[in-house]
Amino acid sequence: MMRHKLLEHRFIENIPETMEPGVLYVSMEYGTASHLCCCGCGSEVVTPFTPTDWKLTYDGETVSLWPSIGNWTLPCRSHYVIDRGRVREAPSWSNEQIVAEQQRDKRAKQKHYEQGQNTEAPDSSVAAPLPLNQEQGWLSRIKGWLWRG
C-alpha cells in the first residue's frame, strides 16, 4: 500500500541531499527526477529522462512520469505510476516479469545507442523525425504543442 498518494513537484537545478517525503524533485538541467519511495520506506528513487527510460509530462499544473516505477531492487519492491501528481499503485511483478523487462530494457538501450553511432545514410523507406528548431525556446514549443489543430 502506498503511503504517499500525491506528490508535489518542485523544479530545481540540483537534487537536494536530503529529500522530503511526498515531493518529486525535477531537474531539467540534469534530465532526471528523484523522490523518496512512495511506499514510505524512505529509499531514494531516481528516474532519468532518456529516449529509453522515463518520460516527463508537465501540463502547467501537474507532473506525470511514464512508464511505471518498479522498485525491484529495493526491499519494498513497490510498483506505481505518477499520473498528474497522483501516485497510482500498480500490481506487483513476478521475478520472471522483472527479468523479462530488464532484458527488454537492455535491448532497447543497445538498439537506441547503436543507432546513434550509425554514420551511414538513414534508410529512406523510414520516415525521419522532423528536426527541432534549435532557436525555438521551450515556451514556444509548448505553445505550439498546445495550439496544434
Side-chain angles (χ1 to χ4, degrees):
M1 177 168 231
M2 295 294 119
R3 173 177 274 168
H4 302 285
K5 298 191 186 290
L6 290 173
L7 289 180
E8 167 194 337
H9 66 274
R10 292 188 192 158
F11 288 104
I12 45 85
E13 184 175 342
N14 297 303
I15 305 298
E17 270 201 43
T18 304
M19 293 189 284
E20 296 176 40
V23 177
L24 178 68
Y25 297 93
V26 179
S27 172
M28 298 309 288
E29 173 103 12
Y30 294 101
T32 192
S34 295
H35 64 284
L36 296 178
C37 184
C38 293
C39 80
C41 72
S43 295
E44 294 182 8
V45 178
V46 178
T47 50
F49 311 141
T50 73
T52 61
D53 290 305
W54 284 271
K55 312 288 184 265
L56 175 97
T57 304
Y58 175 61
D59 66 9
E61 292 183 13
T62 62
V63 169
S64 299
L65 281 179
W66 186 260
S68 63
I69 298 166
N71 295 317
W72 313 128
T73 61
L74 299 178
C76 67
R77 290 176 56 119
S78 63
H79 185 206
Y80 49 91
V81 172
I82 300 172
D83 178 25
R84 293 171 295 185
R86 296 188 193 289
V87 179
R88 305 209 185 272
E89 191 167 4
S92 295
W93 281 13
S94 69
N95 289 335
E96 292 79 19
Q97 288 173 303
I98 294 167
V99 168
E101 176 58 21
Q102 289 169 335
Q103 290 171 348
R104 187 216 55 82
D105 185 54
K106 184 177 180 178
R107 286 189 307 272
K109 285 179 183 356
Q110 184 176 13
K111 180 179 177 183
H112 174 77
Y113 292 108
E114 283 175 359
Q115 286 177 350
Q117 295 175 2
N118 186 355
T119 57
E120 297 175 16
D123 181 354
S124 61
S125 67
V126 178
L130 295 173
L132 175 64
N133 181 349
Q134 295 300 322
E135 294 179 15
Q136 187 180 28
W138 66 270
L139 187 55
S140 296
R141 290 192 304 266
I142 291 172
K143 286 179 183 176
W145 176 76
L146 290 172
W147 280 281
R148 265 192 267 174

